[in-house]
Amino acid sequence: MKVLKLSAQGLPQSWVSLEQAVTHYAAGEVRWEAGAQIAVFRGGHSARTGEQSVIAVNSIIGTRGVPRINPFDLKPGLTNSKLFARDRNVCAYCGQQFDEEDLTREHIVPFAQNGRDHWMNVVTACRACNHRKSHRTPEQAGMPLLYAPYVPSLWEDFILRNRRILADQMEFLMAHVPRNSRLLA
């Protein structure tokens, strides 16, 4: 189970483990929290008061400090699992939905024609369509794209990189994705 760590301003920073979240709480770095309480950690007893330390962890935490980088300048890393999730496991050529193991990363402009490996040049394709298109562009192969590629937003990237998102975390993230996101479909 992961905790969604946000900046104090509410921008996604990372997915952290429960233990990392406890460290933020213990260091006094959590400025605000949202979502449901997902875990309670009990520590030792105070020698002075006899009281046991308790840290309750919420599913979403806002931490102190200002990020050193502008999160909107970040380009999400391209992985097959994020690509397939972006494209909803649908082949860009035949339009059928497949299991992840039956899909490939398809380069619209192939490497053989100086294509590059980036979000705007890749789509999800089934093995049969990828093989049929081969080292040609969609136009050369007579295989038009059924949808256009796009670079996921910061919010979409956080959804794409975690498979086990709690309902309150998903609600928070989905409230910020662009209206034209495929994740809303």
Side-chain angles (χ1 to χ4, degrees), residues 100-178:
E100 198 169 299
E101 60 269 5
D102 297 320
L103 294 171
T104 62
R105 181 187 305 190
E106 210 297 294
H107 294 84
I108 300 165
V109 177
F111 286 133
Q113 296 186 36
N114 297 319
R116 300 192 39 221
D117 193 36
H118 59 79
W119 284 103
M120 293 302 292
N121 189 46
V122 293
V123 291
T124 298
C126 68
R127 295 185 188 284
C129 286
N130 194 337
H131 182 71
R132 190 168 60 125
K133 181 181 163 283
S134 189
H135 298 295
R136 301 174 292 178
T137 65
E139 295 78 22
Q140 293 166 342
M143 298 172 67
L145 287 170
L146 299 177
Y147 56 80
Y150 70 95
V151 179
S153 72
L154 172 68
W155 303 95
E156 290 169 306
D157 185 47
F158 269 79
I159 293 169
L160 295 173
R161 68 168 92 162
N162 188 357
R163 290 184 176 265
R164 295 180 180 220
I165 300 175
L166 300 174
D168 53 0
Q169 294 168 334
M170 182 63 85
E171 183 180 339
F172 182 87
L173 292 168
M174 289 298 279
H176 296 87
V177 300

Side-chain angles (χ1 to χ4, degrees), residues 9-183:
Q9 299 79 19
L11 295 173
Q13 299 298 297
S14 60
W15 290 103
V16 297
S17 68
L18 287 171
E19 292 76 14
Q20 291 168 312
V22 167
T23 302
H24 287 296
Y25 276 98
E29 296 171 351
V30 176
R31 293 193 63 174
W32 56 271
E33 52 194 6
Q37 186 180 97
I38 56 173
V40 176
F41 290 83
R42 300 185 190 292
H45 294 285
S46 168
R48 193 174 37 170
T49 66
E51 212 173 297
Q52 185 178 28
S53 64
V54 176
I55 296 178
V57 178
N58 278 44
S59 62
I60 303 169
I61 59 173
T63 58
R64 286 183 199 263
V66 177
R68 283 174 265 163
I69 52 173
N70 181 350
F72 296 105
D73 291 339
L74 297 176
K75 299 291 184 249
L78 175 59
T79 65
N80 282 352
S81 62
K82 288 199 300 188
L83 172 67
F84 301 158
R86 179 199 75 177
D87 295 347
R88 319 272 281 154
N89 286 18
V90 172
C91 175
Y93 298 105
C94 69
Q96 294 184 41
Q97 192 166 30
F98 293 88
D99 290 331
E100 198 169 299
E101 60 269 5
D102 297 320
L103 294 171
T104 62
R105 181 187 305 190
E106 210 297 294
H107 294 84
I108 300 165
V109 177
F111 286 133
Q113 296 186 36
N114 297 319
R116 300 192 39 221
D117 193 36
H118 59 79
W119 284 103
M120 293 302 292
N121 189 46
V122 293
V123 291
T124 298
C126 68
R127 295 185 188 284
C129 286
N130 194 337
H131 182 71
R132 190 168 60 125
K133 181 181 163 283
S134 189
H135 298 295
R136 301 174 292 178
T137 65
E139 295 78 22
Q140 293 166 342
M143 298 172 67
L145 287 170
L146 299 177
Y147 56 80
Y150 70 95
V151 179
S153 72
L154 172 68
W155 303 95
E156 290 169 306
D157 185 47
F158 269 79
I159 293 169
L160 295 173
R161 68 168 92 162
N162 188 357
R163 290 184 176 265
R164 295 180 180 220
I165 300 175
L166 300 174
D168 53 0
Q169 294 168 334
M170 182 63 85
E171 183 180 339
F172 182 87
L173 292 168
M174 289 298 279
H176 296 87
V177 300
R179 278 181 269 215
N180 61 347
S181 171
R182 275 194 211 125
L183 300 181

